[in-house]
Amino acid sequence: MVDDAARRPRALERIAALALLALALALRVREALRTPLWYDELYTRAAVDRPGPDVMRIVRADVHPPLHFLLAHAWRVFGDSDLAVRASSLACALAAMAVGWALAREWFGRWPALLATLLLALHPWHVYLSQEARSYPLLWLGLAASTLGAWRWCERGRRRDAALFVLGSALALWTHYLAGVLLAVQAAWGAARLAREPRRLGAWALHHLAIAPLYAPLVPLLLVQFRRVEVQHWMPVPRVADLVDTARRFAFGQPLAIVPVALLALAPLLAARDRRGATMALAIGPLAVLLCWALGTRGVRVFAFKYMMFALAPIYALVAAGACRLPGRLAGPLVALALVAVAARGLARSAVQPEAGGFGQARAYLAARARPGDTVFHADTHTLLFGRRYFPAQRHRLLLMGQPLPYYEGAGVVPDSVRGDAAEVAAARAAGAHWWAMAARPAGLDTRAASALFDSLAATPSRAMGVVRVWSGAPER
């Protein structure tokens, strides 16, 4: 009877955690169904929709490790619908949330773990990035597994926890080079934690060395890619305003919530039973973000708000612990309810990704008007990849207008055969052919010259569809 009584709360807790993950899945599937793929996702899909050796050739011309591309390449067996393309990210995000729940429970206990999972399930940017067909959710999963293994090994010293740490770290490093910075922060936390235990500190160092043979095959690729990013890059040097904007996103997009969220996140340091977990969560969460920002100001291009969303899970574990430890019977529940309300409000007010939203409008517009065989001219690779996926019966031409095509604008996936010039647009008009043109902003290419050409030759003024513009080369039918 005692065993049954002890097991019952744990079973209910797991049911509650599964219910929260089910809620998270439903919200993320809903988000995945709202819009078509946008450029970053279309680039990934174009890169992996070819034989394996060609995928690795494109990876070599990129600046990211190969694991996400290889997973997306293998995932094609599940179909080519937009939801199927995004499903691998959904699976990784849900797995990362499950690991995050287990980690928050070990740090702070049952109720903070459940509250943290609920806040994460509702967080608007986590909802969005969880379904985007990019590497972020796979990175979260690797980092979460590494952190859980590191924490458990430092607490218990079990071999299986060391193995989880090593494998999770390798997964993260094979997914995104940012992981190197974050794992270095975690290594420093572990060294401080074990500073008075020389034997275990030595073992901690050996566990990090065990990652090396798993990562070694990537070193030649890393050197090639780092040389490229020194010449071609898209990430600007971050400013203080970018750090403040990231803090706003951590606070569910509500500027007035930044200070309360920060205070709640620091509160666990005041409780002796929470302090050890709080130091780790602070190190791998907000302190790692500050380090990335500081490196970014010195030219190390690791700071962008999407990249920083790795810190959401540890931050909300801290916030949930801070709320649950408030004195008084009602303070904690009331603050928890307020946090959930703010999170739900932020989610309800979240807009669709601007380019994806514009593509959704453009797809509906062109589907009703464009005929098979019509030519569509594109001022940028964003609209080109959109057109080639959703309108395969049309002929697509890219007008670079004398510009080079950098890697981050799809140089590896855009064949030379689709590149056209201004003379082709003029010839289409002179021949009375029905043609279309598209441009998106902001794209990595300068679309002004092509847009001016379309303005001068189109039959009607362009239609603005959010950040996307569409021209008709002949009077609409």
Side-chain angles (χ1 to χ4, degrees):
M1 293 295 293
V2 174
D3 290 342
D4 290 343
R7 283 195 294 265
R8 191 173 299 115
R10 187 64 184 269
L12 292 174
E13 179 188 359
R14 288 178 176 175
I15 291 172
L18 288 173
L20 293 177
L21 292 176
L23 170 65
L25 177 61
L27 293 173
R28 284 148 180 78
V29 170
R30 171 183 172 271
E31 182 70 23
L33 295 173
R34 291 175 75 183
T35 59
L37 307 181
W38 74 290
Y39 172 72
D40 281 8
E41 300 173 288
L42 292 166
Y43 171 83
T44 299
R45 191 59 181 172
V48 304
D49 195 18
R50 58 193 71 218
D54 287 345
V55 174
M56 289 307 301
R57 176 184 57 79
I58 291 170
V59 170
R60 187 176 176 83
D62 198 90
V63 294
H64 294 94
L67 185 58
H68 167 66
F69 292 95
L70 296 176
L71 174 62
H73 178 72
W75 199 268
R76 296 179 306 159
V77 299
F78 295 106
D80 191 49
S81 70
D82 289 355
L83 183 58
V85 170
R86 289 167 166 162
S88 63
S89 290
L90 286 167
C92 291
L94 267 290
M97 289 182 68
V99 177
W101 165 77
L103 185 57
R105 192 184 191 285
E106 298 223 0
W107 281 340
F108 304 121
R110 175 186 306 158
W111 294 112
L114 291 174
L115 177 58
T117 304
L118 176 57
L119 294 176
L120 206 58
L122 297 173
H123 193 280
W125 279 277
H126 197 280
V127 169
Y128 172 73
L129 291 175
S130 293
Q131 56 79 52
E132 190 175 82
R134 293 292 283 169
S135 62
Y136 312 111
L138 185 59
L139 174 64
W140 300 342
L141 178 58
L143 292 173
S146 172
T147 301
L148 182 60
W151 171 263
R152 285 179 171 175
W153 185 83
C154 288
E155 291 292 303
R156 305 179 183 95
R158 298 180 303 194
R159 290 183 180 178
R160 65 186 184 189
D161 297 325
L164 178 62
F165 161 72
V166 170
L167 293 175
S169 299
L171 188 154
L173 288 167
W174 272 74
T175 301
H176 205 290
Y177 293 125
L178 174 64
V181 177
L182 309 180
L183 293 175
V185 173
Q186 184 171 269
W189 170 87
R193 160 78 171 76
L194 301 169
R196 296 183 181 181
E197 304 176 63
R199 290 184 61 186
R200 300 193 69 212
L201 181 59
W204 177 244
L206 289 175
H207 294 333
H208 285 77
L209 289 177
I211 300 170
L214 299 177
Y215 186 69
L218 280 186
V219 172
L221 177 64
L222 180 150
L223 295 176
V224 170
Q225 293 182 337
F226 272 28
R227 283 195 292 269
R228 177 175 301 106
V229 82
E230 288 176 357
V231 178
Q232 300 182 28
H233 55 78
W234 62 269
M235 295 173 65
V237 174
R239 303 164 298 165
V240 173
D242 298 312
L243 190 61
V244 174
D245 181 61
T246 301
R248 177 184 65 82
R249 294 173 192 271
F250 287 149
F252 310 105
Q254 307 297 318
L256 294 178
I258 292 176
V259 172
V261 165
L263 291 175
L264 286 171
L266 292 172
L269 288 173
L270 303 177
R273 63 173 172 170
D274 293 333
R275 193 168 296 132
R276 186 176 293 172
T279 59
M280 188 180 202
L282 284 168
I284 66 170
L287 293 181
V289 171
L290 288 172
L291 175 61
C292 290
W293 180 82
L295 291 172
T297 63
R298 287 159 177 79
V300 182
R301 303 182 187 280
V302 293
F303 187 89
F305 97 84
K306 281 187 176 184
Y307 291 177
M308 297 305 103
M309 293 301 106
F310 72 85
L312 280 173
I315 284 175
Y316 283 111
L318 288 161
V319 169
C324 291
R325 301 292 191 257
L326 289 173
R329 297 182 59 185
L330 295 179
L334 289 176
V335 170
L337 285 174
L339 288 169
V340 172
V342 172
R345 182 173 183 267
L347 181 61
R349 298 179 63 183
S350 64
V352 298
Q353 203 279 346
E355 188 174 286
F359 282 161
Q361 296 178 54
R363 181 170 64 174
Y365 175 77
L366 291 172
R369 296 167 176 81
R371 295 175 177 174
D374 283 356
T375 298
V376 185
F377 295 101
H378 300 272
D380 53 82
T381 51
H382 294 219
T383 60
L384 173 71
L385 295 183
F386 161 79
R388 283 165 65 89
R389 175 173 175 83
Y390 295 104
F391 294 93
Q394 281 68 37
R395 178 173 174 265
H396 297 277
R397 306 292 288 164
L398 172 65
L399 273 62
L400 291 176
M401 307 300 283
Q403 300 176 79
L405 189 61
Y407 80 88
Y408 52 82
E409 286 300 311
V413 300
V414 175
D416 292 342
S417 60
V418 304
R419 301 184 186 186
D421 54 32
E424 290 188 36
V425 188
R429 183 188 181 187
H434 200 280
W435 55 271
W436 305 87
M438 298 185 70
R441 61 173 176 82
L445 296 173
D446 188 343
T447 63
R448 289 175 295 181
S451 296
L453 177 69
F454 301 152
D455 282 332
S456 66
L457 296 179
T460 58
S462 66
R463 289 178 176 265
M465 302 176 185
V467 301
V468 177
R469 293 174 68 193
V470 178
W471 289 261
S472 176
E476 292 190 14
R477 298 183 281 266

